Amino acid sequence: MKKGLLIFVCICISLTGLRADGYPEEWGIYISGDYIYDIQSGVNESSMEESAFRNYLTDLARTNIARSVTTKINDRSRLAKQSVDGRTSVDYLSVTQFSTDVELNLVKSKSVYDRKLKTGHAIAYIDRQEALAFYRNKALMAFSKVENAISLAEDYASQGFKVRASDILAQMTSELNSIDNDLFMLNFFGIPENELSDLSREKGCLSENLLKKGMEYRHGTKVYMECISSGDAGEQAVEVENGLKGLLSGKGCMFVDDMDAADWTISIGLSGRKYNVSEMGGMKIYTAYIDAEIDVANRGGDKILEKSVSEKGIHTMNYDEALREAGEKAGEKIFGTIYPVIIQ
């Protein structure tokens, strides 16, 4: 009798398409090593709307799977940190983006409801292969973005715009960090070891290249400068040139004696004019002008800038002091004119 009853129950379960534990048989595929899953079941004792009860169970399943995965990640991170004595590696990385990835991209869910029994079941699951494809694609996109940035920076640097090139590369630090995160998640979801090694090696090469070129560009803008005086400019040509070199050196430029080795060639023709002497209250006032013709050419010899600058100097002592004042003003204006050009 008991045996017959057991057979009858098994037949009924088979006909309804449910497992003995209540949820649909087709969910059985998710209970394998190919998926990470969580199943929630319950009785609708509060007589909630069917959709609300199903959503309630689904939210529980999604929350539990996120918590489960995060716990496993944190445990693995701690173990990896101990194993490498605190040094960063592919096994010890920040995974702060995972919760967002779970909610938006990776977790799928299904639910069923029996209106007669007022029972519901919900499953949330992550397909490991889909997760691998997701993080592999993220990593490859980040690789491409960094590679494109390096190529763009090289183009700017070849034209002499090394400061801008350096700024472009500096912005890629966050992309490299995101690659670290993606490699960790690929490792977590079971990417083949040889593929992970290849990706890690590529990331390492990119990181090294980014650092090397960033340092080269930041401190490597080479400038050839000549400042020629005429008229009454006198020693103001030397003063202006030295002042400009000091200001540009502070911005990462270095000066070379070989024009062919320079990223930029700056030519300044400086002339001075003793304008007049006037009297005011028995005091003599000397007025003088410094005029400058500025040419800036890039490595290819193309003139990028041609501009004239004129500044007035006034002094009560003599013309030389008036010229000195005009030269200081002219030097500041020349710097403000050429610096934006060579760093754009």
Side-chain angles (χ1 to χ4, degrees), residues 99-117:
S99 60
T100 302
D101 295 340
V102 167
E103 292 300 321
L104 299 181
N105 302 289
L106 298 177
V107 176
K108 297 180 180 178
S109 60
K110 295 181 179 182
S111 64
V112 294
Y113 187 77
D114 188 317
R115 294 177 180 173
K116 291 183 179 179
L117 299 177

Side-chain angles (χ1 to χ4, degrees), residues 231-278:
D232 294 318
E235 63 183 27
Q236 293 311 307
V238 176
E239 295 293 331
V240 168
E241 182 175 348
N242 290 340
L244 287 172
K245 285 183 175 179
L247 291 171
L248 290 171
S249 294
K251 299 296 184 179
C253 296
M254 56 187 298
F255 294 87
V256 295
D257 297 324
D258 182 1
M259 187 183 297
D260 293 333
D263 299 307
W264 295 99
T265 298
I266 300 174
S267 300
I268 302 170
L270 216 65
S271 63
R273 291 181 288 138
K274 296 177 181 179
Y275 185 64
N276 66 13
V277 180
S278 59

